[in-house]
Amino acid sequence: MAENKLKLGIPKGSLQDATIKLFERSGWKVRMHHRNYFPEINDDDIICSMCRAQEMSRYVENGTLDVGLTGKDWILENESDVVVVSDLVYSKVSNRPARWVLAVAGDSPYKRPEDLAGKKIATELCHFTQTYFEKAGIPVDVEFSWGATEAKVVEGLADAIVEVTETGTTIKAHGLRIISELLQTNTQLIVNKAAWEDPWKRKKIENINMLLQGALCAEKLAGLKMNVPADKMEAVMGILPSLTAPTVANLYNKDWLSVEIVVEEGTVRDLIPQLRDLGAEAIIEYSLNKVI
């Protein structure tokens, strides 16, 4: 019987570092080698390969890779027939979906996609863009852009662009104006259909997904531990926005209780002073690697 191995694709490019950090928080250390597309990973069951996100879904579909991470946008662009296991919302900038937007020069007369009938649009997402305008019944000339897409309008090479953005800052910096959002996209964990039918590979992939999701969940949470006077416990409980019921244990001194909770990280700044005012002491905040 052949040794079981899972062929994993790591996206090369803008998501590379964020993906490797996510895997590290999930329990896998991926070590890159200079000019080498096959990183090492501390899991004998996995073989890693680097692949551009734009091409990932094709290699997963044809079985070159069993599983990979790529954007929803490139799955749609390539019309890839793969199994989407889950969404993994993370990026190099923020934990929110990116957007493919239609943008024009800030001083142009175009206000709506319909105003671009007969015009030239530059983008890297050609197939999706062409399909979008065809479905809308708007005839346009879609042209592939090899990069620096924002400059195409400024240089007079296109009337509009379709470009990906998270904050819109770069688009605005080039003097462009967004007139429509075509697609929201985020990273997805995708699997080859044959690999998904293999019991060993499926279980391995499900475990990977569980731990990746756990690491992403933990990014938004923090742990709090404190000592609370027994007679103040009800008041403290009234302000604790815990993920689940807090863990409470008696201290050696029966007049005090040890309380441990998991809360939204954004609440900690305001919560700690309130807890201190209610009599809590020895308050400890700690980060979480994974929440399953």
Side-chain angles (χ1 to χ4, degrees):
M1 181 176 178
E3 183 180 8
N4 284 318
K5 293 286 184 181
L6 188 73
K7 296 174 289 185
L8 168 67
I10 301 289
K12 183 175 177 62
S14 62
L15 274 177
Q16 177 178 316
D17 291 344
T19 301
I20 290 174
K21 288 178 182 177
L22 175 59
F23 268 85
E24 183 171 350
R25 294 198 305 274
S26 304
W28 288 275
K29 294 187 182 298
V30 180
R31 189 171 70 176
M32 301 297 300
H33 295 288
H34 184 57
R35 296 182 180 179
N36 189 326
Y37 285 87
F38 302 97
E40 290 183 9
I41 186 168
N42 63 336
D43 189 328
D44 293 337
D45 294 333
I46 299 176
I47 300 172
C48 271
S49 298
M50 300 298 299
C51 176
R52 283 176 59 84
Q54 293 90 329
E55 302 173 307
M56 183 74 72
S57 64
R58 293 204 303 263
Y59 289 125
V60 171
E61 182 180 16
N62 67 25
T64 301
L65 297 169
D66 295 316
V67 59
L69 296 90
T70 189
K72 174 183 176 181
D73 44 4
W74 298 114
I75 300 170
L76 295 174
E77 176 71 3
N78 296 324
E79 296 186 297
S80 299
D81 187 18
V82 294
V83 177
V84 177
V85 178
S86 69
D87 291 330
L88 298 167
V89 183
Y90 71 100
S91 75
K92 61 178 181 178
V93 178
S94 62
N95 288 347
R96 60 182 178 185
R99 303 175 295 144
W100 283 90
V101 298
L102 180 63
V104 298
D107 59 356
S108 77
Y110 312 124
K111 306 293 184 183
R112 306 172 303 158
E114 292 84 351
D115 298 334
L116 291 166
K119 303 301 181 180
K120 182 183 293 184
I121 299 175
T123 183
E124 190 179 358
L125 203 69
C126 287
H127 173 73
F128 175 85
T129 300
Q130 187 70 56
T131 301
Y132 173 88
F133 279 96
E134 286 177 356
K135 288 181 178 179
I138 305 169
V140 293
D141 178 16
V142 178
E143 186 176 83
F144 182 76
S145 172
W146 290 94
T149 306
E150 295 92 344
K152 297 294 194 302
V153 171
V154 177
E155 296 171 355
L157 301 176
D159 300 292
I161 65 167
V162 171
E163 180 65 331
V164 67
T165 183
E166 289 186 25
T167 63
T169 302
T170 302
I171 288 176
K172 292 178 182 177
H174 283 82
L176 303 181
R177 172 169 44 87
I178 296 172
I179 63 172
S180 183
E181 180 180 299
L182 276 58
L183 172 69
Q184 282 199 7
T185 182
N186 55 267
T187 306
Q188 295 185 324
L189 184 68
I190 59 172
V191 182
N192 170 270
K193 285 190 170 183
W196 193 239
E197 295 302 319
D198 180 290
W200 181 87
K201 290 183 177 180
R202 182 166 184 158
K203 183 61 177 177
K204 183 73 174 178
I205 293 165
E206 289 174 339
N207 288 342
I208 291 172
N209 179 58
M210 177 181 65
L211 294 170
L212 292 176
Q213 294 286 0
L216 287 172
C217 180
E219 285 185 340
K220 305 172 185 177
L221 302 171
L224 283 180
K225 192 170 184 177
M226 70 203 79
N227 295 335
V228 179
D231 61 352
K232 300 291 186 181
M233 190 60 197
E234 287 302 317
V236 167
M237 286 291 292
I239 67 168
L240 291 182
S242 57
L243 184 65
T244 58
T247 299
V248 180
N250 288 309
L251 295 178
Y252 178 73
N253 182 336
K254 65 180 180 180
D255 295 330
W256 287 78
L257 300 171
S258 174
V259 180
E260 190 166 8
I261 60 170
V262 174
V263 298
E264 294 284 344
E265 188 178 40
T267 68
V268 173
R269 180 185 62 193
D270 297 324
L271 187 58
I272 288 179
Q274 295 177 52
L275 291 167
R276 189 68 181 86
D277 289 343
L278 289 174
E281 295 184 1
I283 302 171
I284 299 172
E285 176 189 356
Y286 54 91
S287 59
L288 306 169
N289 284 330
K290 291 180 282 294
V291 175
I292 307 297

